[in-house]
Amino acid sequence: MADVDAARRELEEALGTTEVLSDPLALTLYARDAAMVEGGCALVAFPHTVEDVVACMQVAARHALPVVPRGSGTGLAGGATPIGDALVVVTSKMDRILEVRPEDRLAWVEPGVLNLDLANAVAPLGFTYAPDPSSQQTCSIGGNVNTNAGGPHCLAYGVTSSHVLAVDVVLPDGTVERFGSEAPEAPGYDLRGILIGSEGTLGIVVGACVRLTPEPPAVRTMLLDFSAVKDCAATVSSIIAGGVVPAAVEMMDHGIIVAAESFAHAGYPTDAAAVLLVEVDGLPEAVEAQSRAVENAARDHGVRTIRVAADDAERALLWKGRKSAFGAVAQIAPHYHLHDCVVPRSKLVDVLAGVYEIAGRHDIIVTNVFHAGDGNLHPLLSFDRRIPGTLERVLSASEQIVRLCVNNGGSLSGEHGIGLEKRDFMPLMFSEVDLGAQACVRAAFDPEGRMNPHKVLPAGARCGDFAMARGTDAAQAAQSIPEGSWI
Amino acid sequence: MDLIHPMDKLEVAKALRQATADRKRLLVVGGRTHVDKGEPCEVDAELWTTQLDGLVAYEPAEMIAVVEAGMRVGELDRILWDGGQEWPCDAPPRATVGGVIAAAATSPRRLRVGPIRDTVIEMEVVTGDGRLVRSGARTVKSVTGYDLHKLMTGSLGTLGVIVQVALKVRPRPRSRRSVRVAGGLEVGRRLLDAVPGPTAVLAMPEVVELRLEGWPEETERQVEATDRVAPVTVVTEEGAFPFERPWEASAVIAEAAVPPSRLAEFLTRPFHDLPGPHLGSWGALLGVGIAWVGLSSSDGDLEALRTRARALGGIAPVVKGPGGLGNDVPPGLDVHRRLKASFDPAGVLAPGRFWGGI
Amino acid sequence: MAGFGEGVEPPLGAVMPEGTRFIGPVGLAANWRPGDAPSDDDLATCVACGLCLPHCPTYRLTGEESASPRGRIAAMRAVADGRANVDATFARFMDLCLECRACEDVCPSHVPFGRMMERARVQIEPLRTRRARFVRWLGLSVVLRRRWVLSLGRRLTPLARPFLRKRVRTLVPGGGPGRRVARTTEPEGPAKGTVALVTGCVQDQWYRPANRATVRVLARNGWRVIAPRHQVCCGALQAHNGRLSTARKLARRNLAAFRDADWVVVAAAGCGAHVKEYGDLLGGEEATAFSARVRDLMEFLDEQGVERPGHGPAGEGPIRVAYHDACHALRAQRIKEQPRAVLRLIPGVEIAEVPDGDRCCGAAGLYNVLEPDMSDRLMEQKAASIASTEATIVASANPGCTMQIAAGLRNAGRRLEVLHPVELLDRAYAAADARADDR
């Protein structure tokens, strides 16, 4: 049993008493993120500096406390949900933009800097930070790094991994390392690449060097409105198959359109079965050509109307509805369960039909708002936990939806991560050997297994099973590997 | 030297199990185009991947191609051509896909197309002890477990043998222009600022070459913008980029990587220090920070170059000829060692070839 | 763990590690004290998405969940679920809220945060020390409820000034209020209708010139203006500070006092927001119908149209006016464009947008007295933002904000005049009339 009280005293000594929480009610507020599983923790710490984080790691190591890093707590997979006597290290107070260097198209930021604050800070210089998760006004860069966050504009610009040049990390043993560099290549394995998307299981990100993207000279945002979901989905495949990659292609179905419209008043057609929000950018000539291609694809699939945003204000309004869609679903029911599967774009029509069917069979309301261009679904099951039996129906439907996606060649998560909620689905995609290899990566960073335990990998996955050759006679080990286990 | 020439991934796995049992050290070889990259290391055999050259799946509408790692880049280009797409690595046609990835080779068009690691979305790899491991997914994005393929990209075959990959490919631009103007780094810098959305700005000592890609109207405007900065001397509509790579004539080529804004400092200052006769030519990717520098030998010049690169926050491994990677220690050396021990427990995969003596 | 029954294989994703559970009620009784408390239905509207966080001034300053709307709701939910008690920590979390309601405005699920917070404050009231309760009772239930006491207080302020705590001293403006507004003011021509003015407490005692300007402007634009004699304090501060029953009593009296007017117009945003919510507070048809007749002054002027002044308020030159959005106008009443539209009618007026203009100035009713540290930090931020606009006048339609901003600017050594926007319009009319007389 860890000596939490001693750990608290040492943390207070290092960080100051106001920066460590141990009151039960205060701890409750850090027991979950935006997903639907709640845990608990023993301590919460607010580091202000890299040294503070190092101190947190050292104290945790001394007292064998699990460590759970947390940014803004907007995660949708329970990645920041602490369990047991965890120390939650909240990086929200490390929120300075340290340096903006237009000549290298990069900026150094602390992990608590909010995504939108960064984008706004570099806008006057003609740059943007391309990954734009829907929670961008709230989510932090540290959190983005840990989930390899996406967003509508990642269709053309790529996910976080393509926009983070280097990360400063405090490893579980308290050492500080910089993975990646300002230069395009760095010595060693791409530990930066492994760390991005590792959901806080390898270390705590204390700084990031992000790539800045020049603002496109011209942008056009279009709202395409359809009377059938399948036409809408087919349009997406058609656009991409035509060799056009818009900056963003987002889809919203009827339920979401109604909820989002009630908040954003964006003028969404509330009688539509589905809409596509398409943005194209580039030189004016390219914008023109891409718009034509998009409009043609939409007409081929019976689009009802095409609304082109007349100015920045209208554009912002069209996006406001999209980006607040998740938050708006409480209008439908108080709880939601959300998946984040990615499927091949050509399977969108079939998979969506399947999702509606499964939800219908389980008598659960499902709405869809997602990155259609990437094939990244967000089937959102709305329910009221207070009605007995509902949660069980939701979980059953949820498993069937995930299986449907994986059976169609899909992936479990496009941008939210696996966290706690989806870890038991991992064997649907990966063999035991695959998972063992992943466990080895984790163990290489965190041999004691104290970083964000229970996350990402299912309970069974162990490095030991994989690297059984270690420390034994290699020849003997090779013999002992059961025939066939390597395929 | 022994030669192992597996026909499929099962044979690769078998070979590695055997090597682990026999403690036989292997060098994984593809098209031999990037084999010089890495520290010199002694091996007992070469493992050739070139027979693993099948196309596994290609659906143009998905913009994803799945190929075995021994497929030649030229072959892949031909396949993708029919789908109106490309995998923008710009490596020699005889290079293998796996080799390009294991070497993390840089495309001259990196400014627009990004590093090679961003195009690898799924990978199957056979570890040093002969296990077939898959990571990633055949979808354009995925945050599902740890991206082992990131680890393997650029690992120079020291953690496993890449046997199959899913690649994110891109539509072949409708219009492509390569444009030459007279000038060097300074003209290049001005072009980088003035030309909207170039695919590459390659500066050489006397000339700057731009690659412009997009819709026809777009490239036309880019050519005009170029011409306003410096008179365009040559425009081609097809063909490879760049026209030529003069640094490739040198015996030794270092591929330096420095923060983009430090390129000028890196390329102009060290050459004053270096003895004149050893100077080869160079080409620098502006806005990216990569410079290929030709040297006549890997003696004193290379060390001077590396010292300068290090001072500017960069590195300068050799990609052709002798000279290795340099003695920069990778950050998280313990993590590196533990990874190596997990994936190649008997140390059969080119021990010592990688950074940090790994 | 969800209940799948004996022998049934639970679906993937249903088995969570020990020490975790799916969110939702745990089957314990709520730990609320008797009396008003946040309702379960209201609490259920928050999905914890966190989109409110960056818009919450106290979260912005602290970076702590307990100082955010999501965290405060989570704390309320913990009490409602029987997992926590209404204790000193709970009170601390609730007290730090400005009730600026920026969160409500940005909440895609329309979470009624203000309503929940008012009820949570009722819950914490019994926890306060006897002295704190006495001071609050004195201020909220005695002084504000009785005009004469408030007026006496105002008259005594100059004498009391040396004895006041420094922060109160900086906040309270000096000078006398001047003439009270008339019970009835007839318009110049035929009346378009009758407008009853909510004169406000602080507004009427310390910013009476704004009330007089309101009456003049309304009358000039054809409205009969009455200032009902039996009106009482609107009850906003009581409602925000855990005295809902007092607030309800006051609301009922006002319902009666304003029965006869076509419109009820409020020039102070904090009062306006609350009076518009009488329907919510009291329930019933009468209160709801009453709320529908209430308008913020600037909103009313914009809706009904006003005469465009023939002249600027000060000479020929342009004047740069920084418009301050009071949270209780911008958020609670969603008033943003209307006052700007009215000000733009005035020749020479140039409206400067304040950077981060939607962030609370820290006045927030009694907050600036009760939570001085947080309030000061917000006040400094706001003063710096306003100063950066290089305006010479600040237009503020809420007396609390006006006090706070004036103090902040004074502390920062800035000389800007802080006026109610209607005063600018009134001055413009006066300037135009003076010029007409000259001719």
Side-chain angles (χ1 to χ4, degrees):
Chain A
M1 191 56 205
D3 187 350
V4 172
D5 223 39
R8 176 183 56 75
R9 282 193 302 273
E10 289 168 34
L11 282 170
E12 285 178 350
E13 179 89 2
L15 274 66
T17 50
T18 58
E19 307 308 301
V20 182
L21 304 180
S22 56
D23 179 279
L25 182 62
L27 297 180
T28 302
L29 311 189
Y30 291 88
R32 65 177 286 213
D33 53 19
M36 69 164 189
V37 182
E38 187 162 34
C41 57
L43 293 165
V44 172
F46 299 102
H48 288 253
T49 62
V50 177
E51 292 69 39
D52 287 352
V53 177
V54 170
C56 289
M57 284 293 208
Q58 287 169 343
V59 171
R62 256 197 307 278
H63 298 283
L65 296 179
V67 177
V68 180
R70 178 186 169 105
S72 297
T74 55
L76 292 163
T81 299
I83 302 170
D85 49 9
L87 164 64
V88 178
V89 179
V90 185
T91 53
S92 59
K93 298 191 183 188
M94 298 174 72
D95 63 351
R96 290 172 305 161
I97 295 174
L98 300 172
E99 189 184 2
V100 177
R101 216 182 312 142
E103 67 274 22
D104 280 320
R105 297 189 179 174
L106 63 80
W108 278 99
V109 300
E110 291 186 329
V113 169
L114 305 186
N115 178 300
L116 188 60
D117 285 352
L118 172 60
N120 288 338
V122 298
L125 303 167
F127 289 101
T128 187
Y129 176 63
D132 59 338
S134 296
S135 58
Q136 71 179 133
Q137 51 177 306
T138 302
C139 61
S140 66
I141 297 296
N144 290 176
V145 167
N146 274 300
T147 52
N148 194 5
H153 287 85
C154 292
L155 175 56
Y157 291 91
V159 291
T160 299
S161 177
S162 300
H163 297 275
V164 172
L165 300 168
V167 282
D168 286 346
V169 184
V170 179
L171 295 176
D173 63 2
T175 54
V176 186
E177 298 284 5
R178 172 167 298 177
F179 299 140
S181 79
E182 292 179 2
E185 297 293 334
Y189 298 130
D190 185 12
L191 301 188
R192 173 210 65 92
I194 282 285
L195 203 109
I196 295 171
S198 64
E199 306 192 45
T201 61
L202 305 182
I204 298 182
V205 173
V206 291
C209 178
V210 300
R211 204 156 69 85
L212 305 179
T213 305
E215 290 270 21
V219 181
R220 185 174 300 169
T221 309
M222 293 174 274
L223 189 74
L224 317 173
D225 141 32
F226 296 85
S227 46
V229 172
K230 71 171 177 11
D231 292 336
C232 188
T235 302
V236 177
S237 316
S238 235
I239 293 170
I240 307 284
V244 171
V245 184
V249 178
E250 299 287 301
M251 183 167 159
M252 289 182 268
D253 72 3
H254 179 75
I256 286 289
I257 296 170
V258 172
E261 176 62 17
S262 129
F263 166 67
H265 307 293
Y268 291 162
T270 47
D271 60 339
V275 297
L276 278 187
L277 188 59
V278 180
E279 190 158 283
V280 292
D281 65 14
L283 294 181
E285 294 84 351
V287 166
E288 211 40 66
Q290 294 179 77
S291 309
R292 271 197 310 275
V294 170
E295 287 174 18
N296 289 339
R299 287 213 184 85
D300 289 348
H301 293 283
V303 67
R304 288 201 309 185
T305 57
I306 298 176
R307 173 176 159 200
V308 177
D311 50 29
D312 283 353
E314 191 176 356
R315 189 181 156 230
L317 199 57
L318 288 178
W319 277 113
K320 182 180 177 187
R322 163 61 187 92
K323 296 216 165 179
S324 53
F326 283 148
V329 297
Q331 292 175 47
I332 300 171
H335 302 110
Y336 64 68
H337 188 44
L338 177 63
H339 277 284
D340 176 39
C341 299
V342 196
V343 296
R345 288 173 275 232
S346 57
K347 299 285 174 57
L348 272 179
V349 176
D350 293 349
V351 171
L352 269 177
V355 167
Y356 288 116
E357 191 272 321
I358 291 167
R361 194 148 32 82
H362 287 83
D363 193 19
I364 299 286
I365 300 169
V366 68
T367 45
N368 284 282
V369 46
F370 62 98
H371 311 307
D374 291 325
N376 190 182
L377 295 175
H378 290 328
L380 205 147
L381 304 168
S382 292
F383 65 105
D384 188 340
R385 172 79 208 268
R386 296 173 295 180
I387 302 168
T390 316
L391 178 68
E392 289 72 15
R393 290 208 310 280
V394 165
L395 291 168
S396 299
S398 149
E399 173 180 332
Q400 290 182 23
I401 289 172
V402 174
R403 281 187 188 274
L404 173 72
C405 295
V406 174
N407 292 343
N408 275 280
S411 170
L412 297 179
S413 171
E415 53 185 18
H416 300 169
I418 299 301
L420 197 54
E421 285 190 355
K422 279 110 201 183
R423 59 177 201 148
D424 285 343
F425 292 97
M426 288 288 273
L428 295 184
M429 271 186 75
F430 297 112
S431 72
E432 253 179 68
V433 177
D434 299 338
L435 293 171
Q438 297 197 20
C440 283
V441 171
R442 185 168 181 161
F445 284 84
D446 180 24
E448 293 173 25
R450 281 186 301 97
M451 282 308 297
N452 213 1
H454 304 286
K455 310 294 166 63
V456 183
L457 295 176
R462 264 186 208 94
C463 178
D465 303 340
F466 173 75
M468 57 177 63
R470 211 162 16 147
T472 62
D473 175 59
Q476 198 190 339
Q479 298 298 313
S480 72
I481 296 168
E483 197 67 37
S485 67
W486 29 268
I487 46 170
Chain B
M1 166 117 37
D2 284 354
L3 177 66
I4 303 167
H5 210 177
M7 301 302 286
D8 56 30
K9 39 193 165 189
L10 297 187
E11 288 191 9
V12 176
K14 204 182 243 171
L16 282 161
R17 279 200 303 158
Q18 196 58 50
T20 290
D22 301 346
R23 302 243 172 202
K24 190 174 187 176
R25 295 162 302 173
L26 304 178
L27 181 68
V28 187
V29 176
R32 299 210 94 84
T33 50
H34 294 81
V35 80
D36 285 355
K37 190 169 179 182
E39 289 290 304
C41 65
E42 242 177 73
V43 293
D44 307 308
E46 284 191 356
L47 186 147
W48 288 14
T49 61
T50 44
Q51 289 298 313
L52 282 79
D53 62 351
L55 175 70
V56 180
Y58 175 43
E59 192 59 61
E62 297 297 337
M63 296 203 294
I64 291 170
V66 187
V67 300
E68 290 189 311
M71 178 181 277
R72 307 276 180 175
V73 165
E75 174 65 12
L76 179 59
D77 277 348
R78 271 191 296 280
I79 293 167
L80 297 178
W81 182 276
D82 294 337
Q85 294 173 340
E86 63 171 359
W87 183 52
C89 76
D90 301 292
R94 69 170 206 286
T96 61
V97 170
V100 167
I101 293 168
T106 285
S107 157
R109 292 187 287 159
R110 182 166 172 167
L111 181 62
R112 167 64 77 84
V113 303
I116 213 79
R117 59 175 175 259
D118 287 357
T119 66
V120 182
I121 56 177
E122 185 199 56
M123 184 182 280
E124 285 185 20
V125 67
V126 174
T127 59
D129 54 351
R131 297 192 171 222
L132 184 63
V133 173
R134 191 174 50 82
S135 69
R138 288 180 206 176
T139 50
V140 286
K141 59 186 197 189
S142 180
V143 193
T144 306
Y146 300 92
D147 287 347
L148 298 179
H149 42 289
K150 287 276 187 320
L151 206 55
M152 300 296 160
T153 304
S155 66
L156 299 173
T158 57
L159 291 176
V161 183
I162 301 170
V163 290
Q164 183 179 306
V165 288
L167 303 170
K168 197 151 88 167
V169 298
R170 71 196 281 259
R172 207 149 34 81
R174 286 163 172 73
S175 167
R176 296 171 296 280
R177 299 268 189 285
S178 291
V179 168
R180 280 199 140 195
V181 301
L185 284 165
E186 177 50 27
V187 172
R189 197 193 53 73
R190 275 163 39 213
L191 285 167
L192 187 65
D193 289 342
V195 179
T199 299
V201 180
L202 175 66
M204 289 169 276
E206 309 286 321
V207 69
V208 179
E209 218 179 297
L210 273 79
R211 179 67 161 188
L212 309 168
E213 297 179 346
W215 299 76
E217 304 90 330
E218 217 177 346
T219 50
E220 216 164 278
R221 210 176 116 187
Q222 291 172 323
V223 172
E224 286 163 22
T226 308
D227 202 53
R228 275 197 293 276
V229 175
V232 170
T233 54
V234 184
V235 183
T236 59
E237 301 200 354
E238 281 301 331
F241 171 81
F243 294 107
E244 48 179 353
R245 307 181 187 209
W247 57 89
E248 292 199 338
S250 309
V252 175
I253 304 170
E255 184 183 85
V258 295
S261 67
R262 315 305 291 271
L263 269 177
E265 196 179 344
F266 176 69
L267 286 168
T268 46
R269 282 180 58 201
F271 291 118
H272 299 305
D273 309 344
L274 295 178
H278 297 284
L279 264 188
S281 191
W282 51 261
L285 294 178
L286 303 193
V288 175
I290 293 279
W292 291 286
V293 181
L295 300 165
S296 58
S297 79
S298 55
D299 301 340
D301 320 354
L302 183 60
E303 208 33 61
L305 203 68
R306 284 190 173 146
T307 308
R308 185 56 49 93
R310 205 171 295 130
L312 298 172
I315 50 173
V318 161
V319 290
K320 182 193 158 193
L325 300 170
N327 56 6
D328 305 81
V329 177
L333 190 58
D334 286 346
V335 177
H336 277 78
R337 289 187 177 134
R338 288 194 286 259
L339 286 168
K340 174 74 175 175
S342 291
F343 284 85
D344 179 19
V348 297
L349 290 168
R353 190 185 188 199
F354 200 63
W355 302 90
I358 287 163
Chain C
M1 187 28 222
F4 285 92
E6 284 297 310
V8 180
E9 177 78 9
L12 290 176
V15 182
M16 288 291 143
E18 200 184 325
T20 63
R21 61 180 196 95
F22 290 103
I23 53 164
V26 286
L28 299 173
N31 282 333
W32 295 123
R33 292 156 188 268
D36 285 296
S39 77
D40 287 345
D41 282 336
D42 280 357
L43 287 171
T45 55
C46 173
V47 291
C49 68
L51 291 189
C52 51
L53 263 57
H55 303 277
C56 173
T58 53
Y59 178 77
R60 269 289 171 163
L61 284 178
T62 62
E64 296 192 23
E65 200 72 30
S66 64
S68 79
R70 179 175 67 177
R72 289 167 184 137
I73 292 174
M76 294 180 208
R77 202 179 260 163
V79 176
D81 287 351
R83 293 176 289 129
N85 290 305
V86 176
D87 59 7
T89 310
F90 182 83
R92 179 77 208 122
F93 293 172
M94 300 304 134
D95 274 341
L96 205 63
C97 173
L98 293 150
E99 288 200 72
C100 68
R101 295 165 70 175
C103 50
E104 270 189 19
D105 200 25
V106 299
C107 175
S109 278
H110 310 302
V111 170
F113 183 83
R115 191 160 68 202
M116 287 192 267
M117 182 51 73
E118 282 178 359
R119 280 152 183 74
R121 292 236 167 126
V122 174
Q123 288 286 319
I124 60 179
E125 209 47 28
L127 292 183
R128 302 201 188 286
T129 60
R130 196 171 289 203
R131 183 167 177 276
R133 263 184 299 178
F134 174 75
V135 171
R136 278 157 201 257
W137 170 79
L138 188 71
L140 296 168
S141 300
V142 178
V143 178
L144 283 181
R145 278 181 72 176
R146 292 167 182 80
R147 257 155 216 263
W148 66 269
V149 185
L150 185 65
S151 166
L152 183 69
R154 198 245 324 135
R155 280 162 222 267
L156 291 176
T157 324
L159 296 174
R161 211 164 252 279
F163 306 103
L164 290 176
R165 276 198 298 185
K166 175 160 173 279
R167 67 168 301 103
V168 180
R169 204 162 59 215
T170 22
L171 282 172
V172 176
R179 200 161 29 83
R180 213 185 261 274
V181 297
R183 292 269 154 73
T184 307
T185 309
E186 292 295 335
E188 285 164 19
K192 293 185 200 165
T194 303
V195 169
L197 181 66
V198 174
T199 50
C201 313
V202 175
Q203 173 97 349
D204 195 45
Q205 288 304 323
W206 281 282
Y207 297 102
R208 200 172 281 164
N211 275 349
R212 286 199 299 268
T214 303
V215 172
R216 281 194 296 270
V217 166
L218 284 170
R220 186 185 182 105
N221 284 286
W223 299 96
R224 174 185 302 110
V225 188
I226 58 172
R229 175 189 199 161
H230 297 295
Q231 65 175 296
V232 290
C233 171
C234 69
L237 291 175
Q238 289 82 350
H240 299 161
N241 290 283
R243 296 180 173 265
L244 277 179
S245 54
T246 312
R248 288 196 185 101
K249 276 182 210 146
L250 293 167
R252 274 193 208 98
R253 285 175 61 185
N254 277 336
L255 232 48
F258 286 94
R259 195 162 285 147
D260 300 330
D262 300 319
W263 299 101
V264 177
V265 164
V266 195
C271 307
H274 182 69
V275 174
K276 281 185 178 176
E277 282 168 5
Y278 276 5
D280 243 11
L281 182 70
L282 297 176
E285 238 167 77
E286 192 198 353
T288 311
F290 171 84
S291 284
R293 284 188 289 135
V294 179
R295 290 291 181 279
D296 173 79
L297 170 64
M298 300 311 285
E299 178 188 31
F300 183 77
L301 294 177
D302 180 60
E303 233 170 64
Q304 301 292 338
V306 291
E307 173 196 337
R308 176 190 288 275
H311 199 267
E316 297 295 334
I319 51 169
R320 206 166 154 75
V321 179
Y323 190 81
H324 166 73
D325 286 300
C327 299
H328 280 95
L330 181 70
R331 310 299 193 175
Q333 305 185 66
R334 294 178 186 268
I335 293 172
K336 174 157 189 183
E337 274 313 309
Q338 300 92 321
R340 289 171 171 79
V342 172
L343 286 179
R344 273 194 211 101
L345 294 173
I346 306 172
V349 164
E350 212 178 83
I351 297 173
E353 290 299 331
V354 179
D356 287 324
D358 59 359
R359 202 166 294 170
C360 178
C361 63
L366 296 181
Y367 193 89
N368 48 10
V369 181
L370 300 174
E371 297 289 341
D373 293 343
M374 187 66 73
S375 176
D376 274 356
R377 288 163 71 185
L378 290 164
M379 176 167 84
E380 279 164 32
Q381 267 187 0
K382 184 58 78 181
S385 297
I386 289 175
S388 77
T389 64
E390 298 184 350
T392 51
I393 288 181
V394 185
S396 155
N398 190 44
C401 307
T402 304
M403 270 186 197
Q404 176 90 342
I405 289 170
L409 290 167
R410 229 176 8 251
N411 287 354
R414 300 282 181 163
R415 298 184 168 276
L416 279 82
E417 196 178 4
V418 190
L419 294 175
H420 192 288
V422 80
E423 290 179 272
L424 275 168
L425 188 59
D426 182 51
R427 283 188 193 180
Y429 286 142
D433 291 349
R435 171 168 278 218
D437 291 347
D438 285 350
R439 288 213 187 101

